[in-house]
Amino acid sequence: MSPIEIGALATLGLLVLIYLGMPIGIGMLTVSFLGVAAIRGDLVSLRMLGQVANDSLREYLFAVVPLFVLMGLLVTVSKVGKDTFDVFQQLLGRVTAGLGIATVFANAVFAAITGISIASATVFSRVAVPEMTRHGYTRKFATGVVAGSSVLGMLIPPSLLMIVYAVLAEESVGRMFLAGIGPGILLAVAFSVTIVLLARFRKDFVFAAADTGPADEAMSGLGIARKALPILSLMLVVLGGLYGGFLNPTEAGAAGALGALIIAMMRRSLDPKSFWRLLLEAGQITVSVLFLILAATFFSRMLALSGVPRGLAELLLGGSIGPYGFLLIYLLLIIALGCLIDSISIMLILLPIALPVAEAAGFDLVWFGVLTVVTVEVGLLTPPFGLSVYIIKSAMDDPDLKVGEIFRGTLPFVGAMLVSIALIVAFPQIATWLARL
């Protein structure tokens, strides 16, 4: 068998293993090890596995994962995440499906201090989903809203994927951050419009029953300001440090975690025993995420070794298809790969091939980067990989909640993301106007 045939067979094998119920990380490691062994031999496969573990887990950039996860958990313990949700619940409670819209905008604000979708998914699966189900929303819709809006964590600055793209494209990290603001707002609005349309035309999808929860107590303006102050303070620490040039992203994550810890201690919501449990939980979530990163990196290297991505790129991008023909194929390829592998791995596989073509086509590389990140984020919601979906499933601790139910809940938000991508293609100024200032 040729390397390309081995790579294609390994990809098919991964799909079969996932649908048989094998955990994604273990499935990736299995097919990757066997694929490399078939192409280069057992010894090379063993050496590559060790090299991947060393390279992927010691990367300084990935230190943001435990820091932002810890910050998200501290925010949850100190009720800051819930306060953010409560503020938007008060502001939007009278709107149709207002709790869903409140979840979207609370996620958008929370994204401005986390920079990673995993933390948003973890926090709001515990804060918003129980509150929404208590008020008569379907569990499918509630988890779908949280999963869909969690992607804002990777788009609204600070963003891990924006940093990765900036490094690969040799663009300014600051310009990439600024370019993510407009599309982030667009995506939040698109999600809100989707929720309103669902509530009007698909009530059975949104509402399970009449609101049976107790009426929410109205807050005064001072009460709203008091609840909003902690989250605004954390945004000032994280974003102020980043844009002021005092902190890099990892240091900003550490400063944010420290700020969240101080808030939790001031609110007396953290005793030694609960702090230890929180550290253990942060460690467990971090290990699971890093294990997925390790497995996805190994799978990506196996695919690169087999020549499957390069062969697909040469097949699809060859010929006189024109700049926007190339762009359409590129975005469709990202969406297809998003069903199989993680966001960073997709970028590491495709960008070295696509960036020279995009530059030759005359595309603005900042705009091209925003499109890449938004499209890559679709993969967080699509089966079988859907990392945000699996994070919500693990964070909910509800044995009756099925992964398929969450995936069905995310479908309308995948559609909203595709519409947003089309708008950014048609109107590049959405992404570039701030970056050009």
Side-chain angles (χ1 to χ4, degrees), residues 96-132:
T96 302
L99 287 184
I101 299 173
T103 301
V104 171
F105 282 98
N107 241 316
V109 172
F110 194 74
I113 61 167
T114 58
I116 189 166
S117 299
I118 297 160
S120 297
T122 302
V123 170
F124 286 95
S125 61
R126 297 175 179 179
V127 171
V129 173
E131 189 72 11
M132 293 174 72

Side-chain angles (χ1 to χ4, degrees), residues 4 7-8 11 303-304 306-319 321 326 329-330 332-334 336-337 340-341 349-350 353:
I4 290 183
T11 303
L303 285 179
S306 71
V308 168
R310 188 174 295 275
L312 281 174
E314 290 175 354
L315 176 67
L316 295 172
L317 303 181
I321 61 173
F326 150 71
I329 294 171
Y330 170 70
L332 291 175
L333 189 56
I334 289 178
L337 288 175
L340 300 174
I341 55 180
I349 289 171
L350 291 183
I353 302 170

Side-chain angles (χ1 to χ4, degrees), residues 57-418:
L57 299 185
R58 76 172 184 177
E59 184 67 38
Y60 177 72
L61 202 58
F62 291 131
V64 299
V65 176
L67 292 170
F68 285 138
V69 168
L70 178 60
M71 179 168 58
L73 293 174
L74 285 167
V75 163
T76 304
V77 168
S78 61
K79 302 297 195 311
V80 172
K82 186 178 185 307
D83 286 351
T84 307
F85 177 74
D86 288 344
V87 168
F88 284 97
Q89 182 181 352
Q90 286 287 321
L91 297 176
L92 301 169
R94 296 184 181 275
V95 178
T96 302
L99 287 184
I101 299 173
T103 301
V104 171
F105 282 98
N107 241 316
V109 172
F110 194 74
I113 61 167
T114 58
I116 189 166
S117 299
I118 297 160
S120 297
T122 302
V123 170
F124 286 95
S125 61
R126 297 175 179 179
V127 171
V129 173
E131 189 72 11
M132 293 174 72
T133 53
R134 181 173 70 88
H135 282 279
Y137 292 81
T138 64
R139 191 169 53 182
K140 174 176 62 178
F141 173 75
T143 53
V145 170
V146 172
S149 55
S150 71
V151 305
L152 296 170
M154 286 293 197
L155 185 58
I156 295 176
S159 162
L160 174 60
L161 288 186
M162 290 291 193
I163 296 171
V164 173
Y165 179 85
V167 171
L168 293 175
E170 298 182 357
E171 282 287 342
S172 163
V173 173
R175 286 187 70 206
M176 291 306 305
F177 279 177
L178 289 172
I181 295 174
I185 295 171
L186 170 66
L187 211 54
V189 172
F191 288 158
S192 301
V193 171
T194 300
I195 291 169
V196 172
L197 292 176
L198 286 173
R200 181 169 182 177
F201 298 107
R202 285 291 309 276
K203 291 185 179 181
D204 59 322
F205 186 93
V206 178
F207 303 107
D211 187 346
T212 57
D216 295 311
E217 192 174 321
M219 288 191 295
S220 65
L222 183 60
I224 292 175
R226 187 180 296 113
K227 283 180 175 286
L229 181 61
I231 198 74
L232 293 176
S233 300
L234 284 177
M235 289 175 63
L236 179 63
V237 169
V238 176
L239 296 181
L242 278 172
Y243 291 123
F246 303 110
L247 304 172
N248 64 34
T250 304
E251 291 167 347
L258 178 61
L261 176 60
I262 291 172
I263 291 171
M265 293 176 67
M266 289 178 63
R267 291 188 167 193
R268 298 181 180 178
S269 56
L270 204 62
D271 56 51
K273 185 178 292 186
S274 61
F275 184 52
W276 175 248
R277 285 198 302 267
L278 187 144
L279 290 176
L280 287 177
E281 188 175 0
Q284 290 167 354
I285 294 173
T286 299
V287 166
S288 65
V289 171
L290 292 180
F291 181 75
L292 283 175
I293 290 173
L294 185 156
T297 304
F298 194 19
F299 184 66
S300 300
R301 292 193 183 184
M302 184 277 296
L303 285 179
L305 187 65
S306 71
V308 168
R310 188 174 295 275
L312 281 174
E314 290 175 354
L315 176 67
L316 295 172
L317 303 181
S320 302
I321 61 173
Y324 285 93
F326 150 71
L327 182 63
L328 176 62
I329 294 171
Y330 170 70
L331 297 179
L332 291 175
L333 189 56
I334 289 178
I335 293 173
L337 288 175
C339 296
L340 300 174
I341 55 180
D342 74 295
S343 305
I344 292 176
S345 295
I346 294 172
M347 294 173 70
L348 293 176
I349 289 171
L350 291 183
L351 284 176
I353 302 170
L355 280 171
V357 182
E359 196 168 9
F363 291 146
D364 185 320
L365 292 187
V366 171
W367 168 75
F368 188 74
V370 169
L371 279 175
T372 299
V373 170
V374 177
T375 311
V376 160
E377 287 291 271
V378 174
L380 288 175
L381 308 179
T382 52
F385 194 76
L387 183 58
S388 280
V389 171
Y390 287 96
I391 291 296
I392 289 172
K393 175 67 175 73
S394 62
M396 284 295 295
D397 194 25
D398 182 355
D400 295 329
L401 180 63
K402 305 299 182 185
V403 170
E405 186 177 4
I406 307 175
F407 275 124
R408 288 193 294 274
T410 64
L411 284 177
F413 302 98
V414 172
M417 293 185 74
L418 296 179

Side-chain angles (χ1 to χ4, degrees), residues 38-49:
I39 296 171
R40 291 289 182 88
D42 294 342
L43 291 178
V44 174
S45 189
L46 284 170
R47 284 199 298 268
M48 183 176 287
L49 177 58

